[in-house]
Amino acid sequence: MKSPEPSKRVFVFLQGPHGPFFHRLGRMLSRAGVDVWRVGFNMGDRMFWPGRHNFIAYRDAPDAWPAALEKILTDKSATDIVLYGDTRPIHTAAVEAARARGLRVHVFEEGYMRPYWVTYERGGANGHSRLMDLEVQTMRRDLENSDMDTALPPASWGDMRQHIFYGALYHGFVLLMNRGYRGFKPHRSITVRKEFALYLQRLVLMPAQAVDRRIATWRIRHGGFPYHLALLQLEHDSSFQMHSPFASMTEFLETVIDGFAKGAPQHHHLVVKAHPLEDGRVPVRRELKRLARAYGVAKRVHYVRGGKLAQLLDEARSAVTVNSTAAQQVLWRGIPLKTFGEAVYAKPEFVSTKPLKDFFAGAERPDRKAYRDYRRYLLETSQIAGGFYSARGRRQLLRQAVDMMLSPDDPYDALRTGTAAPRQQLRLVT
């Protein structure tokens, strides 16, 4: 069913990324002449949305949310729903309600080629993205409507510290000031208190962990051995939880180490790289040591805490992951890749179909020409330059996002029909 075309667009925002991005986005949409409302589920949502005139506090239990949402959509004559990620329970219910009513669903997510871009799609992201069913040949055909060069990332641009800071601040608000939202239930499996403590711990330990990471990376790069990379994700991340065959990161690690022990040449090593936001809620390092000993490869397995991937990728023989977006960097370099979960980049032109043991023994390189076309397609459609957490990144993002949201076409249809607005080119930083 097509979205209605009323005289007035009405956007209802649900939960967004930690920090002020959703408020800034809503403010710019209001300036464009549409009505904007924000539904808040806890004090963290409230504190990052300063306007009281268009804030709706939801204070009831989670099981009452679908009925409350229906009332909000009716009372406000909503035409559009805006959310960050589409898999948390309150957002799943919202997507279902929007589809039943024929409303537009605007989904923001971390970029498929993060950290220099964010993802904006209609209807769903990651395993629910339209990209899952798009073939490279179709993308190439649609690219004939554009003659822009492929965008390059800046040499230096990131907002990891701001990301962690806003996460700590958000959970601090929920922990200390949430008395008016007694019905709130986090979508994570751990308590808000624990989540807040982990964010604080991550901020405090960042300098020490950076030293640990540099030492581990130096040893690997100067070790003189060929190595393969295993790219870890956050076990609680929606991409891992909803779009992978594993129930835990330990299951994935055991699968990888078993395949490495059986298939990789004896002089090859395995480097396991943690996600940059890994906070210790899962004992990854301990489990890795246990499994490496059990499979007899303890001296050939290395662990690296978070950080940037480029230094390790430059000399890697291959990489394996569930469905991490970091795999885009692997493919960009033409390095063989094996995946296990649903991913927007898991196209037959790029990703190995060999059993893991055979993959470690010798894998073919991806079709780099096909991947370059795929990458260009993403940058012409759903990937917007900028970021959620730093002031500079938000400014960059807002310059493009609002016009894309107001467009009658979603990013993929806009390219196909030739109605896409000119895309921003990232300015290189030297």
Side-chain angles (χ1 to χ4, degrees):
M1 184 185 297
K2 283 191 175 182
S3 300
E5 296 294 344
S7 58
K8 186 79 168 179
R9 298 275 292 274
V10 180
F11 286 72
V12 175
F13 282 62
L14 301 184
Q15 288 194 295
H18 301 145
F21 171 68
F22 258 22
H23 177 252
R24 304 284 171 81
L25 178 63
R27 188 170 61 185
M28 188 171 287
L29 280 166
S30 295
R31 291 171 180 167
V34 306
D35 287 345
V36 172
W37 295 90
R38 170 70 190 270
V39 182
F41 300 84
N42 56 53
M43 202 61 186
D45 294 340
R46 178 72 192 88
M47 294 300 288
F48 284 118
W49 190 274
R52 297 183 179 275
H53 67 284
N54 60 350
F55 183 84
I56 303 169
Y58 179 76
R59 306 178 190 275
D60 294 331
D63 57 4
W65 165 241
L69 173 64
E70 291 288 350
K71 186 175 187 307
I72 292 169
L73 297 178
T74 299
D75 289 349
K76 304 305 180 186
S77 300
T79 61
D80 300 74
I81 294 178
V82 187
L83 41 85
Y84 171 70
D86 62 351
T87 58
R88 63 184 71 181
I90 58 174
H91 289 172
T92 298
V95 172
E96 292 175 357
R99 286 175 178 164
R101 289 171 171 257
L103 310 184
R104 298 178 184 87
V105 179
H106 307 265
V107 184
F108 285 90
E109 255 289 8
E110 303 294 341
Y112 294 144
M113 288 177 286
R114 67 187 70 169
Y116 310 117
W117 295 273
V118 306
T119 296
Y120 165 72
E121 296 183 276
R122 302 267 180 97
N126 293 313
H128 300 144
S129 169
R130 284 183 60 182
L131 289 169
M132 298 298 297
D133 298 320
L134 278 176
E135 298 179 350
V136 173
Q137 192 57 40
T138 301
M139 298 178 185
R140 284 171 164 162
R141 184 191 64 214
D142 291 350
L143 282 169
E144 293 176 2
N145 292 319
S146 172
D147 59 359
M148 293 187 67
D149 294 332
T150 301
L152 295 173
S156 177
W157 179 2
D159 53 9
M160 185 60 66
R161 288 185 179 85
Q162 295 94 326
H163 189 163
I164 296 171
F165 168 77
Y166 281 126
L169 192 59
Y170 178 91
H171 288 93
F173 289 141
V174 177
L175 177 64
L176 302 174
M177 304 170 63
N178 216 47
R179 186 169 298 176
Y181 296 85
R182 295 190 182 277
F184 172 68
K185 183 179 180 181
H187 65 282
R188 307 287 195 207
S189 59
I190 65 174
T191 65
V192 174
R193 183 180 297 275
K194 179 66 173 174
E195 190 99 29
F196 175 64
L198 288 171
Y199 271 103
L200 280 184
Q201 175 181 287
R202 185 78 174 86
L203 279 172
V204 171
L205 294 179
M206 281 185 78
Q209 291 178 349
V211 173
D212 178 86
R213 180 173 62 249
R214 291 190 186 100
I215 293 173
T217 301
W218 187 91
R219 288 174 174 169
I220 292 163
R221 296 188 69 194
H222 291 80
F225 46 76
Y227 61 84
H228 308 263
L229 275 173
L231 304 177
L232 302 189
Q233 295 160 248
L234 299 176
E235 187 176 284
H236 58 273
D237 183 75
S238 62
S239 292
F240 184 85
Q241 290 289 325
M242 304 297 294
H243 305 299
S244 88
F246 303 106
S248 69
M249 193 56 63
T250 298
E251 285 186 16
F252 171 63
L253 281 173
E254 183 161 15
T255 298
V256 171
I257 292 175
D258 175 57
F260 174 76
K262 292 176 179 177
Q266 292 294 310
H267 62 292
H268 284 207
H269 288 225
L270 176 68
V271 176
V272 177
K273 184 186 178 299
H275 189 278
L277 290 174
E278 182 60 59
D279 55 18
R281 73 184 66 188
V282 176
V284 173
R285 192 170 212 161
R286 186 185 70 197
E287 287 297 284
L288 179 62
K289 288 182 178 180
R290 178 182 67 81
L291 291 167
R293 287 195 298 268
Y295 284 86
V297 292
K299 293 183 179 180
R300 297 164 56 204
V301 174
H302 313 265
Y303 177 76
V304 179
R305 293 180 180 272
K308 294 183 179 180
L309 185 58
Q311 288 184 330
L312 291 172
L313 270 181
D314 288 342
E315 297 176 342
R317 291 295 183 89
S318 72
V320 59
T321 187
V322 178
N323 53 11
S324 171
T325 56
Q328 300 270 10
Q329 296 184 51
V330 177
L331 294 171
W332 176 248
R333 288 168 170 79
I335 298 170
L337 175 68
K338 174 74 175 175
T339 62
F340 288 89
E342 295 177 303
V344 296
Y345 55 80
K347 307 296 182 185
E349 293 88 348
F350 316 146
V351 176
S352 176
T353 58
K354 283 186 174 183
L356 190 56
K357 175 173 67 71
D358 298 333
F359 175 80
F360 279 124
E364 302 86 1
R365 293 187 175 188
D367 181 339
R368 288 196 71 186
K369 188 177 186 303
Y371 178 72
R372 287 176 182 274
D373 291 336
Y374 166 85
R375 181 179 183 274
R376 182 179 164 219
Y377 180 83
L378 261 62
L379 294 176
E380 288 281 347
T381 54
S382 60
Q383 303 305 290
I384 312 178
F388 297 125
Y389 307 104
S390 69
R392 178 187 175 196
R394 286 192 297 273
R395 289 194 299 269
Q396 185 87 3
L397 177 53
L398 288 170
R399 290 188 180 105
Q400 194 83 31
V402 173
D403 287 341
M404 293 177 70
M405 295 173 73
L406 294 174
S407 170
D409 296 324
D410 84 354
Y412 306 118
D413 289 337
L415 180 65
R416 177 176 55 82
T417 60
T419 61
R423 304 306 297 270
Q424 288 175 286
Q425 298 294 306
L426 290 174
R427 185 174 59 188
L428 296 184
V429 176
T430 56

